[in-house]
Amino acid sequence: MRKALCVGIDCYKNIAGLYGCVNDANEVKSALERNGDGTLNFNVKIMCSTSEESYISKGELKDSIIELFASQSEIAVFYYAGHGSLDNTGGYLCTSEIKRIDDGLSLNDIMGIVAKSKAQNNVIILDSCSSGSIANIETMPNYSLLQSGTTILAACGETEYTTEQNGHGTFTSLFVEALYGGAMNLLGEVSPGSIYSYIDRSLGAWDPRPVFKANIRGFVSLRKNMPPIKIDELRRIIEFFKSPYDEYKLDPTYEPDKHEVENKEINKEHEEIFSILQRYVKLNLVIPVGAEHMYYAAIESKACKLTVQGQHYWNLVKKNTI
């Protein structure tokens, strides 16, 4: 079982409201709920505050978080978009009724709930100001304490502020892009680590920097998209290359367009292999040897070889982990 709680708070009683948090929570819900092929991914509960009638209180938010992490599941994901605050005791998620900084739900309390989680994997995603203060040890501010199996993605550092553009949070917009495939591997899987890398690379030098914290033994997939190459084609990499450092010899029979050579011999098997090798090239798994393009590597009877990334996937296939 995979469970997610998505919370977006735009409406506040005593402080300025926001405009993109509810949109963000709904976008994250949609991205998590189904995989790229339409199969069910997460069972998602959503809480949104858009008006006085839908205020979300500290107690309601805390109860929902407790419920999320109280049941046994493969993975439990908590996503929050809204105001965040910070005082000398730590950070807070601001619920609709707050009057002062420390009225919100303490990030320390949230980590206390997560510490008792029955889920195998816990993922916390926060798009709020000062969210990077989560899991900091007060007496040792340069260190963090995380329960095993826990990953945190926060939109900004402890003293930084989040931003909104076009009705969405900048961090969440990139987070959703990453889920829909921007951060996927060749199997179509999207992990928290790849999401962090995607977001970090997408931001400018003056933007708030996302925070990534983890105490895990292996990455979990938050969403599976349609892979950029068929798995059975990817697995043929060990058929073409007998070792990670092998070169695959080519000749004109591999290239369907033979207008530059005298030998017009047609070999359909070679052409099929060449089309797969070309797909490897597009995915940075293979490069031609001694030629600028694969076309000339074939026409000039040269070769191709695996890139470092290609060698990595060769090893994965050889170990039968793909």
Side-chain angles (χ1 to χ4, degrees):
M1 183 183 297
R2 296 159 68 88
K3 298 172 64 177
L5 171 64
C6 295
V7 179
I9 303 180
D10 280 342
C11 194
Y12 291 87
K13 185 175 182 180
N14 302 299
I15 61 175
L18 295 168
Y19 302 97
C21 298
V22 170
N23 290 339
D24 287 343
N26 280 297
E27 287 287 329
V28 172
K29 173 185 180 293
S30 296
L32 289 176
E33 205 161 37
R34 298 279 171 180
N35 291 306
D37 62 359
T39 57
L40 182 65
N41 185 23
F42 279 90
N43 286 294
V44 184
K45 175 181 178 181
I46 189 160
M47 299 174 65
C48 291
S49 175
T50 57
S51 64
E52 291 184 15
E53 290 73 24
S54 57
Y55 277 157
I56 296 174
S57 69
K58 174 182 175 180
E60 290 170 333
L61 180 58
K62 185 175 182 178
D63 287 346
S64 293
I65 295 173
I66 291 173
E67 182 183 5
L68 171 68
F69 292 107
S71 60
Q72 293 184 352
S73 58
E74 175 196 348
I75 179 171
V77 173
F78 170 53
Y79 168 85
Y80 171 87
H83 277 305
S85 60
L86 180 73
D87 67 8
N88 57 7
T89 64
Y92 300 84
L93 302 184
C94 299
T95 45
S96 296
E97 81 282 14
I98 70 160
K99 292 183 178 179
R100 45 183 279 174
I101 287 176
D102 58 357
D103 283 343
L105 181 58
S106 165
L107 296 179
N108 292 333
D109 286 350
I110 292 174
M111 294 312 300
I113 295 169
V114 175
K116 299 177 182 179
S117 174
K118 294 183 180 179
Q120 297 174 33
N121 299 280
N122 311 292
V123 179
I124 298 97
I125 303 149
L126 304 178
D127 192 351
S128 60
C129 298
S130 304
S131 51
S133 63
I134 189 169
N136 284 352
I137 303 175
E138 297 172 28
T139 57
M140 302 173 70
N142 293 325
Y143 292 84
S144 63
L145 180 64
L146 293 179
Q147 181 77 6
S148 178
T150 301
T151 301
I152 293 171
L153 274 168
C156 62
E158 183 172 340
T159 59
E160 293 181 315
Y161 299 93
T162 55
T163 58
E164 288 186 332
Q165 283 186 325
N166 303 317
H168 291 279
T170 302
F171 169 84
T172 295
S173 293
L174 292 171
F175 176 74
V176 170
E177 285 179 16
L179 283 175
Y180 278 123
M184 71 179 180
N185 61 17
L186 295 188
L187 303 180
E189 298 167 338
V190 181
S191 73
S194 67
I195 291 173
Y196 169 77
S197 178
Y198 178 86
I199 295 173
D200 188 59
R201 291 196 314 269
S202 301
L203 294 170
W206 295 94
D207 292 317
R209 308 315 301 179
V211 174
F212 180 80
K213 301 178 182 181
N215 179 7
I216 54 177
R217 293 187 177 182
F219 284 129
V220 294
S221 176
L222 293 184
R223 190 175 194 270
K224 189 161 185 176
N225 299 283
M226 298 301 291
I229 186 171
K230 295 178 181 178
I231 302 303
D232 60 341
E233 289 186 353
L234 181 58
R235 289 184 58 82
R236 294 188 70 182
I237 198 168
I238 62 173
E239 172 190 333
F240 305 142
F241 300 91
K242 302 308 178 184
S243 82
Y245 311 104
D246 190 26
E247 291 187 359
Y248 190 89
K249 301 299 182 182
L250 299 170
D251 62 54
T253 62
Y254 285 85
E255 172 55 57
D257 181 2
K258 299 177 174 57
H259 73 276
E260 294 189 38
V261 294
E262 293 182 4
N263 182 3
K264 307 297 184 181
E265 177 188 347
I266 295 175
N267 187 318
K268 290 298 183 182
E269 180 183 358
H270 282 185
E271 290 181 7
E272 178 195 356
I273 291 172
F274 196 64
S275 67
I276 296 173
L277 292 173
Q278 291 277 41
R279 286 192 279 278
Y280 288 173
V281 170
K282 291 179 180 178
L283 297 172
N284 193 35
L285 299 177
V286 163
I287 54 173
V289 176
E292 186 175 356
H293 303 290
M294 287 289 283
Y295 170 81
Y296 289 109
I299 294 300
E300 298 171 7
S301 297
K302 294 185 176 179
C304 60
K305 66 179 182 179
L306 295 172
T307 63
V308 172
Q309 180 165 294
Q311 292 171 1
H312 170 68
Y313 278 94
W314 188 96
N315 283 309
L316 292 180
V317 174
K318 192 68 175 179
K319 294 176 182 176
N320 204 32
T321 56
I322 293 180

